[in-house]
Amino acid sequence: MLEHGGRLLRAAQRYGIPASQWLDLSTGINPQAWPVPEIPARAWQRLPEDDDGLAEVAAAYYGAPQALPVAGSQAAIQTLPELRAPSRVGVLAPGYAEHAHAWRRAGHRVDTLCADELLAQRERFDVIVLIHPNNPGGERFERESLLALHRELSARGGWLLVDEAFMDATPERSLCGDSARAGLIVLRSAGKFFGLAGARAGFVCAAPALLAALRERLGPWTLTGPARHVLRHALADRDWQRCMRTQLQTQGERLAAMLCAHGLAPSGGCGFFQWRRDPRAAQLHDALAQRAILTRLFDEPASLRFGLPGGEDEWQRLHCVLAELGACLR
């Protein structure tokens, strides 16, 4: 299995610090989660039903013609490559590594390239996979440029797959509204923006024929009843969503400013996280972990991703530790 953030128990064991004492900044998940209400007993006692309105609520939230609920966007990432004959696939890198891994495992020929190279070599590929905004680099793309790229790929039977797991803070940039076009597939995650990663819930927005094929491959009951109940309410809570978009933008800027103040100016990022390329990344990651702050370490390129602290006490804790490290590393 590939390496991911959120391995708090492993870090606690490795560094001999109880899990309760850690500040986990390794995932990029919104620490101010949507407030989950009491879940009715029937959600636990009955099999989930596809006609409970979740798909319609999700389509309205994402501004998409259709939205297929799946067990996290990860379920779609692993399954979509099985719906194509062997293809030439270009994947944005550095980026969420599960994309390239899934396409290779399904027998496709995969190249991982930086954004400029990937787009410059678009004619080489049948499928192009982008993360928008990118994780971890935060790269963004203009909507019209992406739609033009899709037209080129679609004209030769190709796909443009856009992973918008971190798009909720900037929905005006989303391609969900265009996802009825053949060969355009948009993935969304409920875990990042709503802070509901434990629900393992995501959505696929695409043309009806592709959604039907994906639904058939995934089988019934892709989401639990309790998850479906919670998501119907979270996706409909427009007041919370509006406030949280503003809050995430403010907090992302605050985190970037804090890192700059301590000599760790970000190389990229978005409202959910900031990313720092640094040859000392492994050293910094270890030094932070010794102080019970968990970040996401990337080996290639050497870099760290910092998620958002939660309450003001966590912000102050990060500030103090970064100040201490700055003095130690100078």
Side-chain angles (χ1 to χ4, degrees):
M1 294 179 65
L2 300 180
E3 185 69 21
H4 296 284
R7 301 297 297 271
L8 181 58
L9 296 180
R10 186 173 67 179
Q13 182 178 28
R14 175 180 175 184
Y15 288 92
I17 303 172
S20 60
Q21 297 180 18
W22 285 76
L23 172 55
D24 185 3
L25 307 180
S26 69
T27 65
I29 295 168
N30 180 6
Q32 304 293 339
W34 183 79
V36 176
E38 183 177 352
I39 298 174
R42 65 180 179 276
W44 297 100
Q45 295 164 353
R46 295 181 57 83
L47 285 171
E49 300 187 71
D50 289 341
D51 56 357
D52 61 358
L54 175 59
E56 291 74 17
V57 172
Y61 170 71
Y62 293 120
Q66 287 186 257
L68 175 66
V70 295
S73 51
Q74 180 65 32
I77 289 169
Q78 293 178 195
T79 307
L80 283 167
E82 300 173 4
L83 302 182
R84 280 192 69 94
S87 302
R88 300 164 299 169
V89 182
V91 180
L92 179 61
Y96 185 56
E98 291 286 351
H99 285 288
H101 180 65
W103 286 94
R104 288 191 178 108
R105 187 173 55 190
H108 302 272
R109 192 172 71 198
V110 178
D111 288 332
T112 55
L113 300 166
C114 70
D116 290 343
E117 293 178 351
L118 182 58
L119 297 179
Q121 300 179 37
R122 64 183 69 191
E123 294 181 358
R124 293 177 47 207
F125 302 112
D126 307 304
V127 177
I128 289 181
V129 179
L130 298 175
I131 304 99
H132 186 211
N134 190 22
N135 168 28
E139 295 95 327
R140 294 166 174 81
F141 307 92
E142 294 298 325
R143 288 189 72 260
E144 291 307 316
S145 298
L146 292 178
L147 292 174
L149 174 61
H150 163 256
R151 287 193 293 270
E152 292 180 34
L153 291 164
S154 179
R156 54 180 186 268
W159 289 356
L160 174 61
L161 174 58
V162 185
D163 182 346
E164 293 186 349
F166 292 99
M167 183 60 77
D168 297 68
T170 53
E172 68 278 1
R173 292 178 170 268
S174 173
L175 293 186
C176 283
D178 303 285
S179 59
R181 305 182 187 196
L184 177 59
I185 306 164
V186 183
L187 307 183
R188 298 297 292 257
S189 168
K192 307 299 190 298
F193 179 66
F194 292 97
L196 299 175
R200 299 308 310 132
F203 297 88
V204 182
C205 303
L210 188 141
L211 291 182
L214 182 58
R215 182 187 294 111
E216 181 68 21
R217 184 63 64 96
L218 290 171
W221 310 307
T222 56
L223 287 181
T224 67
R228 296 183 73 97
H229 173 83
V230 168
L231 287 167
R232 285 201 311 274
H233 291 82
L235 293 170
D237 191 346
R238 298 305 174 90
D239 290 339
W240 184 90
Q241 294 158 16
R242 281 191 292 270
C243 291
M244 187 50 62
R245 289 189 187 106
T246 301
Q247 183 173 323
L248 284 171
Q249 295 291 350
T250 300
Q251 291 186 338
E253 293 169 2
R254 180 181 181 182
L255 179 58
M258 180 180 290
L259 292 172
C260 286
H262 293 288
L264 297 172
S267 308
C270 65
F272 295 86
F273 59 81
Q274 296 297 320
W275 180 59
R276 163 77 180 184
R277 294 184 67 157
D278 196 305
R280 305 166 300 169
Q283 180 185 0
L284 289 166
H285 174 79
D286 183 68
L288 287 163
Q290 290 179 28
R291 294 159 176 82
I293 294 181
L294 185 61
T295 55
R296 175 72 167 91
L297 175 65
F298 295 86
D299 295 326
E300 187 59 41
S303 54
L304 285 183
R305 189 186 66 198
F306 293 80
L308 297 173
E312 188 60 30
D313 58 333
E314 294 186 355
W315 283 96
Q316 292 306 314
R317 178 179 173 184
L318 178 61
H319 166 72
C320 292
V321 169
L322 290 176
E324 179 186 347
L325 286 186
C328 293
L329 294 172
R330 279 197 292 268

